[in-house]
Amino acid sequence: MKRLLVSAPILGLALMAGSALAANATKTPSVALHGKTFSTELALDDASREHGLMDRTKLAADHSMLFVFPNSESRYFWMKNTLIPLDILYFDKDRKLISIATEAQPCKADPCKVYSSYGSAQYVLELGGGVAKQAGIQVGDELTINGDVTGVR
């Protein structure tokens, strides 16, 4: 009986630790699009949206950055100081894909090409260049966001 009493607290701690790990795993943001899931970094404020994926030398094919804006309007992105080609996907307030800029190329000096949403967008997803085509992503696809984006500023 004494052995069971000693084991019960240890078992309880192990279960609590496992629950905490599971909770943290579900807090890792991700997005799903066209049947594919991408881990994602969230850009919820002006500073993180402005910096985006600048200075990155690589981006895994299953990774992304999701830019969340407080409103829906025409969006314009450029590739200044971005070192790798990216696909830039624009989504409306209902998370429907409205336009794609494929293989947007790095730009080191002004003037840099500007990539437009061609409509009102509230969400922008950046993927590695060519990933959208490889995954079969098309205008009209719906974006699912798994993570808390309520802190948008």
Side-chain angles (χ1 to χ4, degrees), residues 37 43 46 58 63 66 70 79 87 93 140-141:
T37 300
D46 289 338
K58 61 184 176 178
H63 193 71
L66 179 65
M79 298 289 289
D87 292 339
K93 64 180 176 51
D141 287 348

Coordinates of all heavy atoms in Angstrom, one line a residue, residues 37 43 46 58 63 66 70 79 87 93 140-141:
T37 N -1.1 21.2 -44.3 CA -0.9 22.0 -43.1 C 0.5 22.5 -43.0 O 1.4 21.8 -43.4 CB -1.2 21.1 -41.8 OG1 -2.6 20.6 -41.9 CG2 -1.0 21.9 -40.5
A43 N 2.4 37.2 -37.7 CA 2.7 38.6 -37.7 C 1.4 39.4 -37.4 O 0.6 39.6 -38.3 CB 3.3 39.0 -39.1
D46 N 2.3 45.8 -36.3 CA 3.0 46.5 -37.4 C 4.5 46.2 -37.6 O 5.0 45.9 -38.7 CB 2.9 48.1 -37.3 CG 1.4 48.6 -37.5 OD1 0.7 47.9 -38.2 OD2 1.1 49.7 -37.0
K58 N 16.5 30.5 -45.7 CA 15.7 29.4 -46.1 C 14.4 29.4 -45.4 O 14.2 30.0 -44.4 CB 16.5 28.1 -45.9 CG 16.8 27.8 -44.4 CD 17.7 26.6 -44.2 CE 18.0 26.4 -42.8 NZ 18.8 25.2 -42.5
H63 N 6.5 25.3 -43.8 CA 6.5 26.4 -42.8 C 6.0 27.6 -43.6 O 6.1 27.7 -44.8 CB 7.9 26.7 -42.3 CG 7.9 27.6 -41.1 ND1 7.3 27.2 -39.9 CD2 8.2 28.9 -41.0 CE1 7.4 28.3 -39.0 NE2 8.0 29.3 -39.7
L66 N 2.0 34.0 -41.4 CA 0.7 34.5 -41.6 C 0.7 35.9 -41.1 O 0.9 36.2 -39.9 CB -0.3 33.6 -40.9 CG -1.8 34.1 -41.0 CD1 -2.3 34.1 -42.4 CD2 -2.7 33.3 -40.1
P70 N -5.9 44.2 -38.9 CA -7.1 44.5 -38.2 C -8.3 44.8 -39.0 O -9.4 44.8 -38.6 CB -6.7 45.7 -37.3 CG -5.6 46.3 -38.0 CD -4.8 45.2 -38.8
M79 N 9.5 42.8 -51.7 CA 10.5 41.8 -51.2 C 11.9 42.4 -50.8 O 12.9 41.8 -50.8 CB 10.8 40.8 -52.4 CG 9.5 40.0 -52.8 SD 9.0 38.8 -51.5 CE 10.4 37.6 -51.7
D87 N 6.0 32.7 -52.2 CA 4.7 32.8 -52.7 C 3.9 33.7 -51.7 O 4.0 33.4 -50.5 CB 4.0 31.4 -52.9 CG 4.6 30.5 -53.9 OD1 5.3 31.1 -54.8 OD2 4.5 29.3 -53.8
K93 N -11.6 38.7 -45.7 CA -12.0 38.7 -44.3 C -12.6 37.3 -44.0 O -12.6 36.9 -42.8 CB -13.0 39.8 -44.0 CG -14.3 39.8 -44.7 CD -15.2 40.9 -44.3 CE -16.5 41.0 -45.1 NZ -17.2 39.7 -45.1
G140 N -9.8 30.9 -54.4 CA -11.1 30.3 -53.9 C -10.9 29.4 -52.8 O -11.8 29.1 -52.0
D141 N -9.7 28.8 -52.6 CA -9.4 27.9 -51.4 C -9.6 28.7 -50.1 O -9.4 29.9 -50.1 CB -8.0 27.4 -51.5 CG -7.8 26.3 -52.6 OD1 -8.7 25.9 -53.1 OD2 -6.6 26.0 -52.9

